[in-house]
Amino acid sequence: MHPRPPLPDGASRRVVELACGAPSVHNTQPWLWRVSGSRIDLYADRSRQLPFSDPTGRNLTISCGAALHYARVAATALGMPAEVVRMPDPHDVDHLASLQLRPGPRPPDAVERLSALGRRATDRRRFTSWPVPEERLASLAACVKRSGVRVLPLVEPSLRFRVELLVNRARDQQLDDPRLAAEQRAWVDRSPLEGMPSAALPELAAQQPLSRGGAAPTAPDPVEGSDGLLALCTDTDAPSDWLQAGEALSELWLAATEEGLSVVPLSQVIEVASTRFSLETEVFGGMTVPQIIVRIGWQEIGRSQLPRTARRPVDEVLLT
Ligand SMILES: Cc1cc2nc3c(=O)[nH]c(=O)nc-3n(C[C@H](O)[C@H](O)[C@H](O)COP(=O)(O)O)c2cc1C
């Protein structure tokens, strides 16, 4: 057998750089990476966990799962498909994954995949009123082939109504809680390298101040009747499920991006314990655990590009 050719210099670092383009809750980028040769290890960065809205680290781990999926897509597209071991160290719950890159052929869709990684973004502007057809939602849901994760289109009118109600209730509860409002505010225009720029939050103006207190205007409803809705659910509710849900979120989001569809996660309904419970029991009958809801739709043709949400330089996320 011939020895495999070595990977090009800097290949693993390039994979990490591309992985950091993944979505993360409030753009916290809660990940750390260790690179040694062709091996990459992914760790949760607990210093970036949101203590009030994410005390268990669910959103942190979903965000790292999305980064793991980005890393896998990048590695494959660059001709170095990765073997992945999730949660490789039972004594270190923050060691989320280990990737071993191996030289391989570049797949025919490499350019499209790398382009989707670069183009994917959270565009929160109102979608057009064209409803996303049920078949389209079903085919997007079917893109995610991952044991233990289910992607469920929410189309039945009474279920949708219930979900919209819970999404609004969670949003209102968080706006009324000064600690949560302050936590969210701390990640808006936080720095040029992290957090969400106010320019990417078109609804901010309508919901000022973030804490509604007193006579402040009510924020617009996050979900419109024509928005497509999908729920990403898992069989159980452990950190390994959250990681897989994050990978599934990224898988779905990249597939939607390639089809010209826009995706916006709705995590508040899961963050608030009472609405999460209602969603799980009343909407899903206790049969599956919802991890995140997303709304999907088309942005108007010819709309201006939103400014990109920034990322930290790769040296800041690399462990030495
Ligand atoms: C776990 C998770 C939860 C998120 N929750 C929300 C949300 O409730 N509302 C929202 O507008 N964006 C949400 N986002 C999107 C992030 O704010 C967004 O990914 C981040 O600001 C980076 O911007 P980008 O996606 O444009 O790269 C979430 C993303 C992740 C990964």
PDB file of all heavy atoms in Angstrom, residues 21-27 58-60 62-63 66 120-124 195-196 201 249 253 264-268 271 292 308-309 311, ligand 1:
ATOM      1  N   GLY A  21     -16.780  30.560  10.752  1.00  0.00           N
ATOM      2  CA  GLY A  21     -17.868  31.303  10.099  1.00  0.00           C
ATOM      3  C   GLY A  21     -19.237  30.770  10.481  1.00  0.00           C
ATOM      4  O   GLY A  21     -20.270  31.314  10.068  1.00  0.00           O
ATOM      5  N   ALA A  22     -19.286  29.728  11.290  1.00  0.00           N
ATOM      6  CA  ALA A  22     -20.568  29.107  11.662  1.00  0.00           C
ATOM      7  C   ALA A  22     -21.423  30.079  12.479  1.00  0.00           C
ATOM      8  O   ALA A  22     -20.897  30.986  13.127  1.00  0.00           O
ATOM      9  CB  ALA A  22     -20.298  27.841  12.484  1.00  0.00           C
ATOM     10  N   PRO A  23     -22.744  29.862  12.462  1.00  0.00           N
ATOM     11  CA  PRO A  23     -23.616  30.687  13.303  1.00  0.00           C
ATOM     12  C   PRO A  23     -23.441  30.317  14.769  1.00  0.00           C
ATOM     13  O   PRO A  23     -23.100  29.178  15.091  1.00  0.00           O
ATOM     14  CB  PRO A  23     -25.020  30.300  12.817  1.00  0.00           C
ATOM     15  CG  PRO A  23     -24.870  28.917  12.272  1.00  0.00           C
ATOM     16  CD  PRO A  23     -23.480  28.846  11.700  1.00  0.00           C
ATOM     17  N   SER A  24     -23.653  31.281  15.652  1.00  0.00           N
ATOM     18  CA  SER A  24     -23.626  30.971  17.091  1.00  0.00           C
ATOM     19  C   SER A  24     -24.591  31.908  17.794  1.00  0.00           C
ATOM     20  O   SER A  24     -24.864  33.014  17.306  1.00  0.00           O
ATOM     21  CB  SER A  24     -22.220  31.137  17.664  1.00  0.00           C
ATOM     22  OG  SER A  24     -21.780  32.471  17.536  1.00  0.00           O
ATOM     23  N   VAL A  25     -25.098  31.470  18.931  1.00  0.00           N
ATOM     24  CA  VAL A  25     -26.082  32.268  19.643  1.00  0.00           C
ATOM     25  C   VAL A  25     -25.467  33.630  19.986  1.00  0.00           C
ATOM     26  O   VAL A  25     -24.362  33.703  20.540  1.00  0.00           O
ATOM     27  CB  VAL A  25     -26.603  31.499  20.884  1.00  0.00           C
ATOM     28  CG1 VAL A  25     -25.504  31.191  21.906  1.00  0.00           C
ATOM     29  CG2 VAL A  25     -27.757  32.262  21.530  1.00  0.00           C
ATOM     30  N   HIS A  26     -26.153  34.708  19.627  1.00  0.00           N
ATOM     31  CA  HIS A  26     -25.676  36.105  19.823  1.00  0.00           C
ATOM     32  C   HIS A  26     -24.282  36.341  19.237  1.00  0.00           C
ATOM     33  O   HIS A  26     -23.563  37.235  19.670  1.00  0.00           O
ATOM     34  CB  HIS A  26     -25.615  36.459  21.314  1.00  0.00           C
ATOM     35  CG  HIS A  26     -26.959  36.609  21.986  1.00  0.00           C
ATOM     36  ND1 HIS A  26     -28.140  36.365  21.350  1.00  0.00           N
ATOM     37  CD2 HIS A  26     -27.284  36.991  23.252  1.00  0.00           C
ATOM     38  CE1 HIS A  26     -29.148  36.577  22.196  1.00  0.00           C
ATOM     39  NE2 HIS A  26     -28.661  36.958  23.356  1.00  0.00           N
ATOM     40  N   ASN A  27     -23.856  35.487  18.311  1.00  0.00           N
ATOM     41  CA  ASN A  27     -22.489  35.553  17.778  1.00  0.00           C
ATOM     42  C   ASN A  27     -21.449  35.545  18.906  1.00  0.00           C
ATOM     43  O   ASN A  27     -20.462  36.290  18.892  1.00  0.00           O
ATOM     44  CB  ASN A  27     -22.291  36.781  16.866  1.00  0.00           C
ATOM     45  CG  ASN A  27     -21.036  36.675  16.022  1.00  0.00           C
ATOM     46  OD1 ASN A  27     -20.532  35.590  15.740  1.00  0.00           O
ATOM     47  ND2 ASN A  27     -20.495  37.817  15.637  1.00  0.00           N
ATOM     48  N   ARG A  58     -27.071  24.615  26.429  1.00  0.00           N
ATOM     49  CA  ARG A  58     -27.683  24.028  25.234  1.00  0.00           C
ATOM     50  C   ARG A  58     -27.309  24.842  23.977  1.00  0.00           C
ATOM     51  O   ARG A  58     -26.795  24.301  22.995  1.00  0.00           O
ATOM     52  CB  ARG A  58     -29.208  24.004  25.394  1.00  0.00           C
ATOM     53  CG  ARG A  58     -29.961  23.421  24.186  1.00  0.00           C
ATOM     54  CD  ARG A  58     -31.451  23.783  24.237  1.00  0.00           C
ATOM     55  NE  ARG A  58     -32.047  23.426  25.498  1.00  0.00           N
ATOM     56  CZ  ARG A  58     -32.570  22.225  25.791  1.00  0.00           C
ATOM     57  NH1 ARG A  58     -32.606  21.299  24.865  1.00  0.00           N
ATOM     58  NH2 ARG A  58     -33.083  21.989  26.980  1.00  0.00           N
ATOM     59  N   ASN A  59     -27.572  26.144  24.018  1.00  0.00           N
ATOM     60  CA  ASN A  59     -27.291  26.967  22.829  1.00  0.00           C
ATOM     61  C   ASN A  59     -25.800  27.025  22.528  1.00  0.00           C
ATOM     62  O   ASN A  59     -25.395  27.100  21.367  1.00  0.00           O
ATOM     63  CB  ASN A  59     -27.837  28.386  23.010  1.00  0.00           C
ATOM     64  CG  ASN A  59     -29.323  28.461  22.701  1.00  0.00           C
ATOM     65  OD1 ASN A  59     -29.859  27.604  22.004  1.00  0.00           O
ATOM     66  ND2 ASN A  59     -29.979  29.469  23.225  1.00  0.00           N
ATOM     67  N   LEU A  60     -24.997  27.027  23.590  1.00  0.00           N
ATOM     68  CA  LEU A  60     -23.540  27.004  23.384  1.00  0.00           C
ATOM     69  C   LEU A  60     -23.158  25.737  22.605  1.00  0.00           C
ATOM     70  O   LEU A  60     -22.394  25.785  21.634  1.00  0.00           O
ATOM     71  CB  LEU A  60     -22.823  27.054  24.739  1.00  0.00           C
ATOM     72  CG  LEU A  60     -21.302  26.893  24.719  1.00  0.00           C
ATOM     73  CD1 LEU A  60     -20.657  27.740  25.820  1.00  0.00           C
ATOM     74  CD2 LEU A  60     -20.892  25.444  24.901  1.00  0.00           C
ATOM     75  N   ILE A  62     -25.115  23.754  20.785  1.00  0.00           N
ATOM     76  CA  ILE A  62     -25.685  23.769  19.420  1.00  0.00           C
ATOM     77  C   ILE A  62     -24.778  24.613  18.514  1.00  0.00           C
ATOM     78  O   ILE A  62     -24.479  24.235  17.374  1.00  0.00           O
ATOM     79  CB  ILE A  62     -27.135  24.319  19.436  1.00  0.00           C
ATOM     80  CG1 ILE A  62     -28.076  23.344  20.161  1.00  0.00           C
ATOM     81  CG2 ILE A  62     -27.632  24.586  18.017  1.00  0.00           C
ATOM     82  CD1 ILE A  62     -29.515  23.824  20.311  1.00  0.00           C
ATOM     83  N   SER A  63     -24.314  25.748  19.041  1.00  0.00           N
ATOM     84  CA  SER A  63     -23.424  26.612  18.240  1.00  0.00           C
ATOM     85  C   SER A  63     -22.138  25.859  17.882  1.00  0.00           C
ATOM     86  O   SER A  63     -21.664  25.918  16.734  1.00  0.00           O
ATOM     87  CB  SER A  63     -23.072  27.880  19.026  1.00  0.00           C
ATOM     88  OG  SER A  63     -24.233  28.565  19.435  1.00  0.00           O
ATOM     89  N   ALA A  66     -22.745  23.438  15.146  1.00  0.00           N
ATOM     90  CA  ALA A  66     -22.764  24.087  13.826  1.00  0.00           C
ATOM     91  C   ALA A  66     -21.320  24.289  13.345  1.00  0.00           C
ATOM     92  O   ALA A  66     -21.011  24.053  12.170  1.00  0.00           O
ATOM     93  CB  ALA A  66     -23.506  25.424  13.901  1.00  0.00           C
ATOM     94  N   ARG A 120     -23.798  31.977   3.787  1.00  0.00           N
ATOM     95  CA  ARG A 120     -24.830  31.789   4.823  1.00  0.00           C
ATOM     96  C   ARG A 120     -24.770  32.910   5.845  1.00  0.00           C
ATOM     97  O   ARG A 120     -23.709  33.282   6.327  1.00  0.00           O
ATOM     98  CB  ARG A 120     -24.613  30.445   5.534  1.00  0.00           C
ATOM     99  CG  ARG A 120     -25.694  30.122   6.553  1.00  0.00           C
ATOM    100  CD  ARG A 120     -25.131  29.481   7.795  1.00  0.00           C
ATOM    101  NE  ARG A 120     -24.115  30.283   8.418  1.00  0.00           N
ATOM    102  CZ  ARG A 120     -24.347  31.328   9.227  1.00  0.00           C
ATOM    103  NH1 ARG A 120     -25.583  31.687   9.520  1.00  0.00           N
ATOM    104  NH2 ARG A 120     -23.350  32.029   9.734  1.00  0.00           N
ATOM    105  N   ALA A 121     -25.902  33.472   6.184  1.00  0.00           N
ATOM    106  CA  ALA A 121     -25.938  34.549   7.187  1.00  0.00           C
ATOM    107  C   ALA A 121     -27.344  34.601   7.753  1.00  0.00           C
ATOM    108  O   ALA A 121     -28.283  34.070   7.160  1.00  0.00           O
ATOM    109  CB  ALA A 121     -25.580  35.884   6.533  1.00  0.00           C
ATOM    110  N   THR A 122     -27.468  35.221   8.919  1.00  0.00           N
ATOM    111  CA  THR A 122     -28.798  35.403   9.500  1.00  0.00           C
ATOM    112  C   THR A 122     -29.346  36.731   8.999  1.00  0.00           C
ATOM    113  O   THR A 122     -28.851  37.787   9.392  1.00  0.00           O
ATOM    114  CB  THR A 122     -28.707  35.442  11.043  1.00  0.00           C
ATOM    115  OG1 THR A 122     -27.940  34.317  11.493  1.00  0.00           O
ATOM    116  CG2 THR A 122     -30.082  35.403  11.672  1.00  0.00           C
ATOM    117  N   ASP A 123     -30.334  36.651   8.119  1.00  0.00           N
ATOM    118  CA  ASP A 123     -30.952  37.869   7.582  1.00  0.00           C
ATOM    119  C   ASP A 123     -32.347  37.974   8.194  1.00  0.00           C
ATOM    120  O   ASP A 123     -33.271  37.280   7.788  1.00  0.00           O
ATOM    121  CB  ASP A 123     -31.013  37.777   6.052  1.00  0.00           C
ATOM    122  CG  ASP A 123     -31.459  39.090   5.423  1.00  0.00           C
ATOM    123  OD1 ASP A 123     -32.041  39.928   6.151  1.00  0.00           O
ATOM    124  OD2 ASP A 123     -31.220  39.276   4.221  1.00  0.00           O
ATOM    125  N   ARG A 124     -32.480  38.853   9.201  1.00  0.00           N
ATOM    126  CA  ARG A 124     -33.727  38.903   9.984  1.00  0.00           C
ATOM    127  C   ARG A 124     -34.778  39.813   9.362  1.00  0.00           C
ATOM    128  O   ARG A 124     -35.822  40.031   9.971  1.00  0.00           O
ATOM    129  CB  ARG A 124     -33.424  39.361  11.408  1.00  0.00           C
ATOM    130  CG  ARG A 124     -32.447  38.444  12.134  1.00  0.00           C
ATOM    131  CD  ARG A 124     -32.050  39.008  13.483  1.00  0.00           C
ATOM    132  NE  ARG A 124     -31.091  38.144  14.153  1.00  0.00           N
ATOM    133  CZ  ARG A 124     -29.771  38.182  13.951  1.00  0.00           C
ATOM    134  NH1 ARG A 124     -29.264  39.034  13.085  1.00  0.00           N
ATOM    135  NH2 ARG A 124     -28.963  37.363  14.603  1.00  0.00           N
ATOM    136  N   GLY A 195     -20.406  39.353  18.853  1.00  0.00           N
ATOM    137  CA  GLY A 195     -21.713  39.942  19.122  1.00  0.00           C
ATOM    138  C   GLY A 195     -22.419  40.329  17.830  1.00  0.00           C
ATOM    139  O   GLY A 195     -21.906  40.120  16.727  1.00  0.00           O
ATOM    140  N   MET A 196     -23.634  40.886  17.994  1.00  0.00           N
ATOM    141  CA  MET A 196     -24.449  41.206  16.816  1.00  0.00           C
ATOM    142  C   MET A 196     -24.434  42.711  16.551  1.00  0.00           C
ATOM    143  O   MET A 196     -24.782  43.490  17.441  1.00  0.00           O
ATOM    144  CB  MET A 196     -25.892  40.755  17.064  1.00  0.00           C
ATOM    145  CG  MET A 196     -26.022  39.267  17.300  1.00  0.00           C
ATOM    146  SD  MET A 196     -27.659  38.836  17.929  1.00  0.00           S
ATOM    147  CE  MET A 196     -27.641  39.561  19.561  1.00  0.00           C
ATOM    148  N   LEU A 201     -29.911  43.803  13.054  1.00  0.00           N
ATOM    149  CA  LEU A 201     -31.120  43.560  13.858  1.00  0.00           C
ATOM    150  C   LEU A 201     -32.187  44.569  13.475  1.00  0.00           C
ATOM    151  O   LEU A 201     -32.431  45.544  14.204  1.00  0.00           O
ATOM    152  CB  LEU A 201     -30.785  43.684  15.353  1.00  0.00           C
ATOM    153  CG  LEU A 201     -29.691  42.738  15.864  1.00  0.00           C
ATOM    154  CD1 LEU A 201     -29.253  43.120  17.267  1.00  0.00           C
ATOM    155  CD2 LEU A 201     -30.191  41.302  15.856  1.00  0.00           C
ATOM    156  N   LEU A 249     -28.591  21.725  12.336  1.00  0.00           N
ATOM    157  CA  LEU A 249     -28.985  23.111  12.021  1.00  0.00           C
ATOM    158  C   LEU A 249     -28.133  23.644  10.877  1.00  0.00           C
ATOM    159  O   LEU A 249     -28.638  24.229   9.916  1.00  0.00           O
ATOM    160  CB  LEU A 249     -28.812  23.987  13.281  1.00  0.00           C
ATOM    161  CG  LEU A 249     -29.001  25.496  13.080  1.00  0.00           C
ATOM    162  CD1 LEU A 249     -30.446  25.819  12.710  1.00  0.00           C
ATOM    163  CD2 LEU A 249     -28.604  26.279  14.351  1.00  0.00           C
ATOM    164  N   TRP A 253     -29.272  24.661   7.150  1.00  0.00           N
ATOM    165  CA  TRP A 253     -29.069  26.068   6.795  1.00  0.00           C
ATOM    166  C   TRP A 253     -28.275  26.178   5.495  1.00  0.00           C
ATOM    167  O   TRP A 253     -28.575  26.991   4.625  1.00  0.00           O
ATOM    168  CB  TRP A 253     -28.347  26.772   7.941  1.00  0.00           C
ATOM    169  CG  TRP A 253     -28.577  28.246   8.051  1.00  0.00           C
ATOM    170  CD1 TRP A 253     -28.873  29.125   7.048  1.00  0.00           C
ATOM    171  CD2 TRP A 253     -28.520  29.031   9.262  1.00  0.00           C
ATOM    172  NE1 TRP A 253     -28.990  30.399   7.548  1.00  0.00           N
ATOM    173  CE2 TRP A 253     -28.782  30.371   8.889  1.00  0.00           C
ATOM    174  CE3 TRP A 253     -28.259  28.741  10.593  1.00  0.00           C
ATOM    175  CZ2 TRP A 253     -28.796  31.420   9.833  1.00  0.00           C
ATOM    176  CZ3 TRP A 253     -28.271  29.772  11.516  1.00  0.00           C
ATOM    177  CH2 TRP A 253     -28.545  31.091  11.147  1.00  0.00           C
ATOM    178  N   VAL A 264     -33.818  31.832   9.774  1.00  0.00           N
ATOM    179  CA  VAL A 264     -33.569  32.562  11.028  1.00  0.00           C
ATOM    180  C   VAL A 264     -33.947  31.647  12.199  1.00  0.00           C
ATOM    181  O   VAL A 264     -35.106  31.210  12.299  1.00  0.00           O
ATOM    182  CB  VAL A 264     -34.389  33.878  11.111  1.00  0.00           C
ATOM    183  CG1 VAL A 264     -34.123  34.587  12.448  1.00  0.00           C
ATOM    184  CG2 VAL A 264     -34.039  34.810   9.957  1.00  0.00           C
ATOM    185  N   PRO A 265     -32.984  31.336  13.077  1.00  0.00           N
ATOM    186  CA  PRO A 265     -33.327  30.499  14.236  1.00  0.00           C
ATOM    187  C   PRO A 265     -34.207  31.274  15.220  1.00  0.00           C
ATOM    188  O   PRO A 265     -34.115  32.495  15.322  1.00  0.00           O
ATOM    189  CB  PRO A 265     -31.975  30.198  14.891  1.00  0.00           C
ATOM    190  CG  PRO A 265     -30.932  30.617  13.920  1.00  0.00           C
ATOM    191  CD  PRO A 265     -31.547  31.671  13.059  1.00  0.00           C
ATOM    192  N   LEU A 266     -35.059  30.525  15.919  1.00  0.00           N
ATOM    193  CA  LEU A 266     -35.885  31.105  16.990  1.00  0.00           C
ATOM    194  C   LEU A 266     -35.604  30.275  18.234  1.00  0.00           C
ATOM    195  O   LEU A 266     -36.217  29.236  18.442  1.00  0.00           O
ATOM    196  CB  LEU A 266     -37.373  30.994  16.622  1.00  0.00           C
ATOM    197  CG  LEU A 266     -37.839  31.718  15.359  1.00  0.00           C
ATOM    198  CD1 LEU A 266     -39.226  31.246  14.951  1.00  0.00           C
ATOM    199  CD2 LEU A 266     -37.851  33.230  15.581  1.00  0.00           C
ATOM    200  N   SER A 267     -34.644  30.743  19.040  1.00  0.00           N
ATOM    201  CA  SER A 267     -34.270  29.894  20.184  1.00  0.00           C
ATOM    202  C   SER A 267     -34.951  30.304  21.485  1.00  0.00           C
ATOM    203  O   SER A 267     -34.922  29.555  22.459  1.00  0.00           O
ATOM    204  CB  SER A 267     -32.751  29.886  20.368  1.00  0.00           C
ATOM    205  OG  SER A 267     -32.238  31.183  20.474  1.00  0.00           O
ATOM    206  N   GLN A 268     -35.594  31.493  21.515  1.00  0.00           N
ATOM    207  CA  GLN A 268     -36.147  31.955  22.796  1.00  0.00           C
ATOM    208  C   GLN A 268     -37.205  31.000  23.345  1.00  0.00           C
ATOM    209  O   GLN A 268     -37.282  30.766  24.548  1.00  0.00           O
ATOM    210  CB  GLN A 268     -36.746  33.357  22.627  1.00  0.00           C
ATOM    211  CG  GLN A 268     -35.666  34.416  22.407  1.00  0.00           C
ATOM    212  CD  GLN A 268     -36.265  35.762  22.048  1.00  0.00           C
ATOM    213  OE1 GLN A 268     -37.109  35.852  21.158  1.00  0.00           O
ATOM    214  NE2 GLN A 268     -35.826  36.806  22.730  1.00  0.00           N
ATOM    215  N   GLU A 271     -35.404  28.550  25.175  1.00  0.00           N
ATOM    216  CA  GLU A 271     -34.662  29.073  26.346  1.00  0.00           C
ATOM    217  C   GLU A 271     -35.573  29.237  27.560  1.00  0.00           C
ATOM    218  O   GLU A 271     -35.159  28.990  28.690  1.00  0.00           O
ATOM    219  CB  GLU A 271     -34.037  30.441  25.992  1.00  0.00           C
ATOM    220  CG  GLU A 271     -32.909  30.345  24.979  1.00  0.00           C
ATOM    221  CD  GLU A 271     -32.625  31.673  24.270  1.00  0.00           C
ATOM    222  OE1 GLU A 271     -33.064  32.739  24.752  1.00  0.00           O
ATOM    223  OE2 GLU A 271     -31.975  31.634  23.215  1.00  0.00           O
ATOM    224  N   ILE A 292     -34.435  23.488  18.671  1.00  0.00           N
ATOM    225  CA  ILE A 292     -34.457  24.845  18.098  1.00  0.00           C
ATOM    226  C   ILE A 292     -35.528  24.874  17.001  1.00  0.00           C
ATOM    227  O   ILE A 292     -35.787  23.860  16.347  1.00  0.00           O
ATOM    228  CB  ILE A 292     -33.056  25.269  17.566  1.00  0.00           C
ATOM    229  CG1 ILE A 292     -32.981  26.778  17.372  1.00  0.00           C
ATOM    230  CG2 ILE A 292     -32.655  24.534  16.308  1.00  0.00           C
ATOM    231  CD1 ILE A 292     -31.563  27.337  17.397  1.00  0.00           C
ATOM    232  N   ARG A 308     -21.708  41.860   6.924  1.00  0.00           N
ATOM    233  CA  ARG A 308     -21.385  40.560   7.528  1.00  0.00           C
ATOM    234  C   ARG A 308     -21.170  40.726   9.026  1.00  0.00           C
ATOM    235  O   ARG A 308     -20.612  41.726   9.483  1.00  0.00           O
ATOM    236  CB  ARG A 308     -20.101  39.975   6.921  1.00  0.00           C
ATOM    237  CG  ARG A 308     -20.115  39.827   5.426  1.00  0.00           C
ATOM    238  CD  ARG A 308     -21.122  38.839   4.941  1.00  0.00           C
ATOM    239  NE  ARG A 308     -20.931  37.527   5.561  1.00  0.00           N
ATOM    240  CZ  ARG A 308     -21.627  36.451   5.235  1.00  0.00           C
ATOM    241  NH1 ARG A 308     -22.587  36.527   4.344  1.00  0.00           N
ATOM    242  NH2 ARG A 308     -21.391  35.304   5.812  1.00  0.00           N
ATOM    243  N   THR A 309     -21.627  39.748   9.774  1.00  0.00           N
ATOM    244  CA  THR A 309     -21.379  39.738  11.220  1.00  0.00           C
ATOM    245  C   THR A 309     -19.950  39.219  11.432  1.00  0.00           C
ATOM    246  O   THR A 309     -19.599  38.173  10.896  1.00  0.00           O
ATOM    247  CB  THR A 309     -22.430  38.833  11.894  1.00  0.00           C
ATOM    248  OG1 THR A 309     -23.710  39.383  11.593  1.00  0.00           O
ATOM    249  CG2 THR A 309     -22.256  38.774  13.379  1.00  0.00           C
ATOM    250  N   ARG A 311     -16.158  37.978  12.888  1.00  0.00           N
ATOM    251  CA  ARG A 311     -15.629  36.851  13.661  1.00  0.00           C
ATOM    252  C   ARG A 311     -14.279  37.251  14.255  1.00  0.00           C
ATOM    253  O   ARG A 311     -13.573  38.099  13.701  1.00  0.00           O
ATOM    254  CB  ARG A 311     -15.422  35.616  12.770  1.00  0.00           C
ATOM    255  CG  ARG A 311     -16.705  35.059  12.177  1.00  0.00           C
ATOM    256  CD  ARG A 311     -17.627  34.484  13.235  1.00  0.00           C
ATOM    257  NE  ARG A 311     -18.782  33.801  12.644  1.00  0.00           N
ATOM    258  CZ  ARG A 311     -19.929  34.388  12.327  1.00  0.00           C
ATOM    259  NH1 ARG A 311     -20.105  35.672  12.552  1.00  0.00           N
ATOM    260  NH2 ARG A 311     -20.921  33.693  11.804  1.00  0.00           N
TER     261      ARG A 311
HETATM  262  C1  LIG B   1     -28.041  28.176  18.854  1.00  0.00           C
HETATM  263  C2  LIG B   1     -28.380  29.442  18.104  1.00  0.00           C
HETATM  264  C3  LIG B   1     -29.477  30.209  18.519  1.00  0.00           C
HETATM  265  C4  LIG B   1     -29.810  31.374  17.829  1.00  0.00           C
HETATM  266  N1  LIG B   1     -30.938  32.073  18.196  1.00  0.00           N
HETATM  267  C5  LIG B   1     -31.331  33.147  17.475  1.00  0.00           C
HETATM  268  C6  LIG B   1     -32.573  33.804  17.777  1.00  0.00           C
HETATM  269  O1  LIG B   1     -33.336  33.397  18.657  1.00  0.00           O
HETATM  270  N2  LIG B   1     -32.916  34.891  17.033  1.00  0.00           N
HETATM  271  C7  LIG B   1     -32.107  35.362  16.016  1.00  0.00           C
HETATM  272  O2  LIG B   1     -32.468  36.347  15.373  1.00  0.00           O
HETATM  273  N3  LIG B   1     -30.930  34.750  15.706  1.00  0.00           N
HETATM  274  C8  LIG B   1     -30.535  33.659  16.407  1.00  0.00           C
HETATM  275  N4  LIG B   1     -29.371  32.995  16.078  1.00  0.00           N
HETATM  276  C9  LIG B   1     -28.512  33.511  14.993  1.00  0.00           C
HETATM  277  C10 LIG B   1     -27.259  34.200  15.568  1.00  0.00           C
HETATM  278  O3  LIG B   1     -27.595  35.410  16.210  1.00  0.00           O
HETATM  279  C11 LIG B   1     -26.269  34.423  14.429  1.00  0.00           C
HETATM  280  O4  LIG B   1     -25.854  33.168  13.951  1.00  0.00           O
HETATM  281  C12 LIG B   1     -25.029  35.193  14.865  1.00  0.00           C
HETATM  282  O5  LIG B   1     -25.375  36.510  15.234  1.00  0.00           O
HETATM  283  C13 LIG B   1     -23.964  35.240  13.756  1.00  0.00           C
HETATM  284  O6  LIG B   1     -24.470  35.846  12.599  1.00  0.00           O
HETATM  285  P1  LIG B   1     -24.523  35.081  11.198  1.00  0.00           P
HETATM  286  O7  LIG B   1     -25.458  33.921  11.364  1.00  0.00           O
HETATM  287  O8  LIG B   1     -25.073  36.107  10.238  1.00  0.00           O
HETATM  288  O9  LIG B   1     -23.161  34.624  10.829  1.00  0.00           O
HETATM  289  C14 LIG B   1     -29.017  31.815  16.733  1.00  0.00           C
HETATM  290  C15 LIG B   1     -27.930  31.036  16.323  1.00  0.00           C
HETATM  291  C16 LIG B   1     -27.617  29.841  16.991  1.00  0.00           C
HETATM  292  C17 LIG B   1     -26.475  28.986  16.497  1.00  0.00           C
END
